[in-house]
Amino acid sequence: MIVELRCNQMIRKLTLSSVCAFEIALIFFVGMQPVSSNIFQPFENGIGILCKSIVSKDNKKPLFFLFAEDRQSVSRLRFETNHIRLSKALRTEINANSISWLDREGFSNTRYQLNRTTLELSTNPGKRACEAMTAKSLKKKADSYLL
């Protein structure tokens, strides 16, 4: 009887310890973003554009943008050491011929204007040719660019 009582107490302690360890691990992992998480979720049904410099000698890095489904907001993909993140969503101004937005990252105020017919992106300085694709396709291109 005493052995059985001690055995039950040990099982309860073990179970309580296991539950506590699980809860601590859960709290720790909730704050982390897994590699396979979908950072593109707010733009999942939107359109991605990949913009490359028109001048072939120009070594400017390509620009990756994601537009929300309603085209009312846009976000630029940022590449860090080993992952991709989205800049904060920016409001767009939509006209018959173009979509434009102002990016105030850091100390610069960059005005982007995308021609809706030619998909040419105008910035200061220069112009870039863009290609439209699904958000999923843009993510694949961004992943391969990161590598």
Side-chain angles (χ1 to χ4, degrees):
M1 182 83 162
I2 294 175
V3 172
E4 185 178 330
L5 182 60
R6 286 191 183 192
C7 199
N8 284 339
Q9 287 174 342
M10 285 177 52
I11 291 172
R12 283 188 194 143
K13 284 182 183 178
L14 179 63
T15 305
L16 183 59
S17 298
S18 300
V19 168
C20 289
F22 176 74
E23 287 179 5
I24 290 170
L26 188 60
I27 290 169
F28 176 74
F29 288 114
V30 164
M32 294 180 65
Q33 188 175 20
V35 174
S36 64
S37 72
N38 186 4
I39 64 164
F40 298 86
Q41 188 173 4
F43 300 93
E44 206 165 36
N45 295 323
I47 296 292
I49 60 167
L50 169 57
C51 303
K52 298 179 181 175
S53 182
I54 293 175
V55 180
S56 62
K57 295 180 226 168
D58 194 355
N59 287 335
K60 289 185 180 177
K61 296 177 182 177
L63 298 175
F64 296 79
F65 292 99
L66 279 172
F67 287 91
E69 188 173 10
D70 62 2
R71 312 301 185 265
Q72 296 292 318
S73 60
V74 64
S75 186
R76 183 173 171 189
L77 276 63
R78 305 282 183 205
F79 296 93
E80 294 179 355
T81 307
N82 59 354
H83 64 283
I84 301 166
R85 70 175 179 87
L86 289 175
S87 68
K88 86 175 179 183
L90 304 168
R91 298 295 295 163
T92 60
E93 297 172 18
I94 301 174
N95 298 316
N97 298 324
S98 66
I99 300 175
S100 63
W101 62 96
L102 179 62
D103 189 353
R104 292 187 173 129
E105 183 179 352
F107 296 106
S108 68
N109 286 330
T110 305
R111 169 69 59 187
Y112 293 99
Q113 186 169 7
L114 180 67
N115 184 304
R116 295 175 73 177
T117 307
T118 65
L119 290 182
E120 185 176 81
L121 182 70
S122 299
T123 64
N124 186 12
K127 296 183 181 221
R128 294 172 180 254
C130 299
E131 171 187 356
M133 59 193 72
T134 64
K136 187 180 276 188
S137 295
L138 186 75
K139 182 185 182 325
K140 286 179 185 176
K141 295 227 180 205
D143 285 340
S144 67
Y145 178 77
L146 183 63
L147 296 174

